[in-house]
Amino acid sequence: MKFKLNFSLTSIAAAALLSTSAMASDLVITFDDLNPDKAAAYEAAVEAFKKANPDINVVANNGDREAHKGTIRNALQNDSPDLITWYPGNRMGPFVDAGLFMDISDLWASDPNLSGNFNAIKPTMTRDGKQWGVPYSYYQWGVYYRKDIYEKLGLSEPKTWDELLGNCDKMKEAGVTPFTIGTKFLWTAAGVFDYLNLRTNGYDVHNELTAGKVKYTDPRIRDTFANWETMLDRCSFVSTHATMSWQDAIAPFANGDAAMYVMGNFSVGQYKDAGLTDDQIDFFQFPEITPGLPRAEEAPADAFFIPAKATNVENAKKFLAFIATPEIQSEWNKTIGQLPPNSEAAINTDDKFIVEGMETLSTAAGLAQFYDRDAPAAMAKEGMQGFQKFMLDPSSLDEILENLDKVQAEVYK
Amino acid sequence: MFPRPVEKASAGVRWAYKLSLPIALFLWLLPLLAIFMTSIRPASDIATGNVFGIPSSFQFFQNYGEVFAKTDALQYLINTLLIAVPTTIISVSLACLTGYALAIYKFKWALPLFFLFVAGNFVPFQILMLPVVDMSNRLEIINTVPGLVMFHAAFQTGFCTLFMRNFMKALPFELIESARLEGVDEFKIFWHLVLPLVKPAIAALCVLIFTFIWNDFFWASVLIRDDSNLPITVGVRTLNGEFVQQWHLVSAASLLAAVPPVLMFFAMQKHFIAGLTLGATKG
Amino acid sequence: MNTAATSTDRFSTSAGRMVVAAVVMLVCVVLLMLVSTTGMQGLLDLAQRTEARVPTFLVRISLIIAALTAAFFFITSHSYYKRNKVAIAPWMFLSVGLVFFSIYVIVPIFQSISYSFTRWDGLYDFNGVWTGEWVGLHNYKLLLDDPNFYTSLWNNLLWLLLFMLAVPIGLFIALFLNQTVAGIRIYKSLFFFPFVISQVVVGLIFTWAYNPEFGLLSEIWSWFFCETKTNIMGNLTRVCSPEPPSILGDETMATYGIIAAGLWPQIAYCMILYLTGLNNISSDQIEAGRLDGAKGWKMLRHVILPQLKPATFIAIVVTVIGALRSFDMIATMTQGGPYGSSNVLAYYMYDQAVGEGVGRYGYGSAIATVLFLIMLVYISYFLWRMYVDEMEAK
């Protein structure tokens, strides 16, 4: 635990004494995840980088993820670090458009590792034909379920919508709530919406919706909500979901009161912390709804960007190239239990979820970044509130969709 | 005295009153007691629904120790001190000056300017938020402790001026007048004559402003980004995100955040209440 | 001139002081400009570090303080000051506080109002050029068509109305505690206790208390309505009929739940105001009232309450301000949810302007302006009352 003010005052004194000597080369990094394993993986990568580049003085900052979403705009305009974490896809759009991220296409072109091993994710990092960041991790979404409950009830992993609904009926008969979810922070509901929309209408329609080209009152989107209503009806969710965070929602899942959870792979560690073993939990891809649609998946990526106002650009690029290497990518993602975007990186084959995730994503016809990253923040905020409202009160659908159209018209102007 | 003192009532009423006091207090502080009990329970008690009963084992030191060991709670507490103490000193000092000007001198701007301070003190924070963020950004003091101190000090100067001016208005004006007649300089009058007289007001203000700033949440969450500069109020909320399902630790951290203002209150109770209630008796 | 010139000795000291002060002032201003234009880079090669920002800033502040001190000596040494002491001194006393307060409080109010006529996401481009555009009354038109705005406005009204309960309840507790039995002082302080705790902590306490799974209320609920059963996996699970209320997760209850939590410290505040007020009531009047046969309710209404008027006034003022500033509790308890149903203008503004990077600065400022106008009604009333008091005092 360092005390910043003190540190800097001594460094002033030191620098005043040493001001004639060669300028030390710095690298200031801002990361945005305080969760213990995430922070540990980041710190380990920084340590490895320091070891490889002893002449660079690395200042590694870390902060709360939610707070980061609000404060990044200050960071980019002033007080710029040399590297900052942010989301690819549409979410990087405003900063790219305002010229606040640095174009690093040259790095992507000149570094053989980046140009050769990141083909699947490259489109996500691209805007206006240029690359703006380097991803360090991504992960799959899908349905996590209690294998032991499934076995007890004689159910099997559903491949189609009807199979899923049939499974739900049997669970309810047995007194099990089919799905758990915690919508207090809204975004979990967006995961359900994304999958229903991807499976009902496919990747292209979903993309057009989040890009503001399809209205929310469009009959195709209404179909998605009709399916959601069926799901609410036959596959009910735990009743107190609006007061629970996604972690709170694990409690009924772990206790055997609920059997399935539409979630991202980062949740697996939490299931195990809650006492569940690999034998009790498993994963299946969200079942097909409209037959014959190419299967698209949610695969949000996390990436590093260089702010346009960064002072130590060369060092920043060195760091980006460093964390893109197969070794670092595989180390980092082993620690946090996610997938390396680098196709040459090794994955942990002992982890069945990672293996299944690799399989799921490498065969997908399209990768969505998640609703709150694909849609602009102002739209996502309203949209997710609408989803939560719909889950609590499906009868207010018309009102919700009309309001979302209004917001859409304003936000995408 | 109103209501009629219970001493004058019958013995039955007296006993009923004395009995009702602890019961009322218990109910009044029930949420606080419950959270305290939670903070010394093991996690398993909460899972099994033992919320009211005696903890299955007393984990006072384990739980509070864990909060310090696992998180930056200590850093948060230090940051809060680094924010609250300078703010208190700056705003109270400035208010001694402005309050003096507005209370003692009779010039036509005295009342309008006083009202400007009072009005500014009551505006909603949100109307200030974006320009202050923007300005802090351009001065490059966003996300720093001094940056937050600057805002707090400026804003609290409004309240402190209101307080000081009213307090100084009640001073015997003849004293100042006679000092002037003797040719004492204005600044010497202020320093040697008035300041010693307003010491109680300064004490009361310091306690109040310290507590206000200690408990600030909004401005810290708007102006501070890095974990290493956060004060405890925002820090506790971050911990709430980290300690999911670990209510014993969340409670312990919350109570820790409340300790310094509470100590301050009990140590300086007289000044604290005098500060809060200035104006409640006058007029 | 003539006062200073009466003694050549004093004149020269005075002139010497003025010259020194002027030189110091000049040096400080030059240094200040150096620091501002080239940053610390030019001076200490340190600007690359993020930490350098703090010392740069502290250096600037020290320079400003030095310049101000020099200016103070310069002015007080000048003969014009010596002739017009009483006219100049108040402005010197006021200067720093007034400028500081204006920069951070008064000017931003007008800036915010001007933002509200723009569409802006808070960003400047790489060259520091503002990226927004002027849209006139567009944001206000949007506001009139925004259901969330009406929800927030309605909730603000609820807060204002229900928060007023703090005043009579505070009075009631104050009357209850206004006795002289042994240990009453400690009871009074302990009753006041909730006010000292930060709203964030109060919010966390009540979030936990309201939690339908394992909170205080659900525990009490389970004594009456729940039984423990074994579920399919052989684990114990609680089955309740009816289910415990999910106060913060239900749009019809969330706001009331937060207000109830907010009342807790506010009642304590009002109580302490009334306790002080009761302490200062003249016992003569009470005795006179008693002789007239007034007691209980009649006494309270006709003798006590009129004397508590100043306390009531302050209690209402702080309660209104508290109700309109209800941000911390909402941020900790619901973040405005479920789906915006517990929003108030203060939180909605924050959410639209900076929450999760939404960045609608123009729209947020329009909301803030509306909130400001509501508050302005109360501020005007308060100032008018103060004005009347001032005039009476003269």
Side-chain angles (χ1 to χ4, degrees), chain A residues 297-361:
Chain A
E297 295 289 337
E298 298 252 57
D302 293 307
F304 280 98
F305 295 81
I306 306 182
K309 295 205 166 171
T311 31
N312 303 293
V313 177
E314 283 317 306
N315 289 346
K317 285 185 176 168
K318 247 185 219 171
F319 186 82
L320 288 182
F322 183 77
I323 58 149
T325 56
E327 298 76 34
I328 296 295
Q329 291 246 321
S330 85
E331 256 328 290
W332 191 312
N333 286 291
K334 268 179 193 165
T335 311
I336 63 179
Q338 293 186 177
L339 294 166
N342 186 324
S343 56
E344 286 300 302
I347 58 164
N348 183 358
T349 46
D350 294 338
D351 185 335
K352 65 174 177 180
F353 296 102
I354 291 292
V355 175
E356 249 183 295
M358 202 68 175
E359 152 75 18
T360 302
L361 297 190

Side-chain angles (χ1 to χ4, degrees), chain A residues 116-272:
Chain A
N117 302 333
F118 286 81
N119 293 329
I121 198 105
K122 196 172 176 183
T124 316
M125 306 305 307
T126 306
R127 192 176 172 92
D128 305 334
K130 297 166 189 154
Q131 287 78 47
W132 303 93
V134 170
Y136 61 88
S137 178
Y138 71 159
Y139 53 89
Q140 84 271 22
W141 272 68
V143 183
Y144 293 80
Y145 71 101
R146 285 291 297 266
K147 206 174 169 183
D148 44 1
I149 298 182
Y150 261 64
E151 278 162 8
K152 201 159 215 162
L153 295 173
L155 304 171
S156 55
E157 291 186 5
K159 291 274 176 261
T160 66
W161 186 232
D162 286 332
E163 284 173 33
L164 176 70
L165 297 177
N167 283 356
C168 289
D169 293 342
K170 291 203 180 110
M171 285 177 212
K172 284 174 100 172
E173 274 166 34
V176 176
T177 309
F179 281 98
T180 187
I181 193 170
T183 61
K184 181 172 181 188
F185 297 101
L186 305 175
W187 56 269
T188 47
V192 179
F193 170 79
D194 278 357
Y195 267 115
L196 286 166
N197 200 35
L198 286 170
R199 294 290 183 269
T200 309
N201 296 312
Y203 183 70
D204 293 334
V205 175
H206 185 67
N207 232 356
E208 280 166 22
L209 176 78
T210 53
K213 289 173 193 147
V214 167
K215 284 187 165 191
Y216 283 81
T217 47
D218 188 287
R220 289 171 294 181
I221 307 302
R222 280 185 182 276
D223 287 345
T224 301
F225 279 96
N227 285 331
W228 201 347
E229 194 166 352
T230 313
M231 187 175 173
L232 288 173
D233 204 28
R234 286 177 65 183
C235 291
S236 54
F237 290 81
V238 287
S239 60
T240 55
H241 64 79
T243 52
M244 292 196 288
S245 68
W246 74 267
Q247 294 104 323
D248 293 332
I250 292 173
F253 186 65
N255 199 41
D257 298 328
M260 293 179 281
Y261 201 176
V262 179
M263 250 298 135
N265 198 55
F266 55 83
S267 58
V268 170
Q270 302 264 351
Y271 305 146
K272 292 181 179 166

Side-chain angles (χ1 to χ4, degrees), chain A residues 73 77 240 257 381 388, chain C residues 121 124 213 231 235 339 351:
Chain A
R73 43 189 58 239
Q77 298 183 60
T240 55
D257 298 328
K381 176 98 209 165
Q388 190 195 37
Chain C
D121 61 0
Y124 295 91
E213 305 289 330
N231 72 8
N235 296 325
Y339 46 86
D351 216 26

Side-chain angles (χ1 to χ4, degrees), chain B residues 1-7 17-18 20-22 24-25 28-29 31-32 34-35 38 46 49 51-52 90 94 97-98 100-102 105 107 109 111 113-135 138-144 146 150-151 153-155 158 162 165 180 183 185-187 190 211 215 217-218 221-222 233 236-237 240 245 247 254 257-258 261-262 265-266 269 272-273 276-277 279-283, chain C residues 53-54 57 60-61 72 76 81 85-86 89-94 96-98 100-101 103-106 108-109 111-113 115 120 124 173 175-181 184 187 189-198 200-201 204-206 208 214 216 219-220 223 264 267-269 272-273 276-278 280 283 286 290 296 299-300 304 310-311 314 317 321 325 327-328 331-332 335 346 349-350 353-354 361 365 368-369 371-372 375 379 382-383 386-387 390-391:
Chain B
M1 195 163 167
F2 182 86
R4 184 181 285 273
V6 284
E7 279 87 348
Y17 180 74
K18 283 186 181 168
S20 66
L21 272 178
L25 184 67
W28 181 243
L29 293 183
L32 207 59
I35 203 121
T38 307
I46 299 159
V51 176
F52 288 109
I90 298 174
L94 286 179
L97 299 172
T98 51
Y100 181 73
L102 297 174
Y105 294 93
F107 59 119
W109 286 96
L111 207 56
L113 285 177
F114 176 53
F115 282 179
L116 188 74
F117 279 109
V118 176
N121 169 49
F122 287 142
V123 299
F125 294 151
Q126 283 70 22
I127 193 98
L128 309 179
M129 179 176 97
L130 296 175
V132 167
V133 167
D134 199 43
M135 177 164 57
R138 277 185 283 159
L139 289 174
E140 305 196 0
I141 50 172
I142 193 134
N143 190 27
T144 65
M150 288 290 280
F151 173 79
F155 188 79
L162 162 66
R165 186 264 188 192
R180 266 187 199 153
D185 186 74
E186 297 298 314
F187 294 91
F190 169 72
T211 314
N215 289 338
F217 172 76
F218 179 77
S221 59
V222 170
T233 42
V236 158
R237 209 184 56 151
N240 190 25
Q245 293 273 316
W247 275 95
S254 309
V262 168
F265 166 65
F266 280 109
Q269 200 171 352
F272 194 98
I273 291 175
L276 274 184
T277 55
T281 53
K282 182 194 94 168
Chain C
R53 293 176 304 128
V54 174
F57 176 71
R60 281 184 196 166
I61 288 289
F72 172 78
T76 51
Y81 165 75
K85 266 183 192 170
V86 180
W91 292 102
M92 293 177 68
F93 278 113
L94 270 173
V96 180
L98 188 62
F100 199 33
F101 190 72
I103 291 176
Y104 268 106
V105 181
I106 305 300
I109 295 174
Q111 279 177 302
S112 269
I113 295 174
Y115 287 178
W120 184 33
Y124 295 91
I173 298 181
L175 290 172
F176 174 65
L177 290 177
N178 195 31
Q179 294 290 348
T180 46
V181 300
I184 195 75
Y187 277 107
S189 343
L190 286 172
F191 264 90
F192 182 62
F193 201 52
F195 179 74
V196 190
I197 306 169
S198 90
V200 176
V201 175
L204 284 173
I205 292 177
F206 276 84
W208 170 77
F214 47 77
L216 203 56
E219 275 314 307
I220 297 172
W223 296 344
W264 192 43
I267 289 171
Y269 193 177
I272 209 79
L273 290 172
T276 316
L278 284 169
N280 288 300
S283 42
I286 298 180
R290 290 220 165 100
M299 174 78 115
L300 181 68
I304 306 298
I314 300 285
V317 169
I321 305 275
R325 280 201 182 149
F327 176 90
D328 299 4
T332 20
Q335 286 84 37
M349 182 273 165
Y350 170 86
V354 297
Y361 273 37
S365 295
T369 304
L371 180 60
F372 173 67
M375 197 80 107
I379 296 176
F382 185 74
L383 289 182
M386 281 186 89
Y387 183 73
E390 289 293 328
M391 291 301 117

